Amino acid sequence: MKEGSKKAISALCYFSLFFAPFLFPIAVYFIADDSEVMEHAKKSFLSHLLPIIAVPLGIIIIFETQYHLIAIIISALIFGTLTLIVMIWNIVKGIKVILS
């Protein structure tokens, strides 16, 4: 596989957060024959899981506290911040892969 193709596919794994968060990294992981591309696909897939885990945790906290306003606000801040950080991290990693 050409170096440019490896970089493009690896970066797309991170950027797929916006168009196919789970499908693209999993497909690349199982289809790619390059260990570097597979490693980027695995890392991006795991980073895409964090927001999916955060949403149910926030909902559980809200239900368990019986819709207490403070719990809703704190859950939204914590899990919203986590999701934002993961999104920024994926963008930065995708750009780093392209520039390396």
Side-chain angles (χ1 to χ4, degrees), residues 39-72:
E39 185 67 25
H40 285 293
K42 183 174 72 173
K43 286 180 182 178
S44 67
F45 174 75
L46 292 174
S47 71
H48 295 174
L49 283 179
L50 287 175
I52 296 301
I53 293 170
V55 170
L57 285 176
I59 292 171
I60 289 170
I61 290 171
I62 290 168
F63 284 141
E64 289 296 319
T65 58
Q66 299 175 352
Y67 301 101
H68 196 270
L69 182 61
I70 298 298
I72 293 171

Side-chain angles (χ1 to χ4, degrees), residues 4-5 8 15 24 29-30 34 39-40 42 45 48 59 70 77 84 87 91 94:
S5 298
F15 295 144
F24 192 77
Y29 184 79
F30 288 115
D34 185 69
E39 185 67 25
H40 285 293
K42 183 174 72 173
F45 174 75
H48 295 174
I59 292 171
I70 298 298
L77 287 174
L84 183 64
M87 188 182 310
I91 293 169

Side-chain angles (χ1 to χ4, degrees), residues 5 18 24 27-28 32 35-36 41 46 52 54 58 78 84 91 95-96:
S5 298
F18 300 109
F24 192 77
V28 168
S35 62
E36 183 181 347
L46 292 174
I52 296 301
I78 290 172
L84 183 64
I91 293 169
I95 292 170
K96 280 185 179 181

Side-chain angles (χ1 to χ4, degrees), residues 8-42:
I9 292 171
S10 296
L12 279 174
C13 285
Y14 292 109
F15 295 144
S16 70
L17 182 68
F18 300 109
F19 61 88
F22 301 107
L23 294 175
F24 192 77
I26 288 175
V28 168
Y29 184 79
F30 288 115
I31 293 172
D33 58 351
D34 185 69
S35 62
E36 183 181 347
V37 174
M38 290 173 66
E39 185 67 25
H40 285 293
K42 183 174 72 173

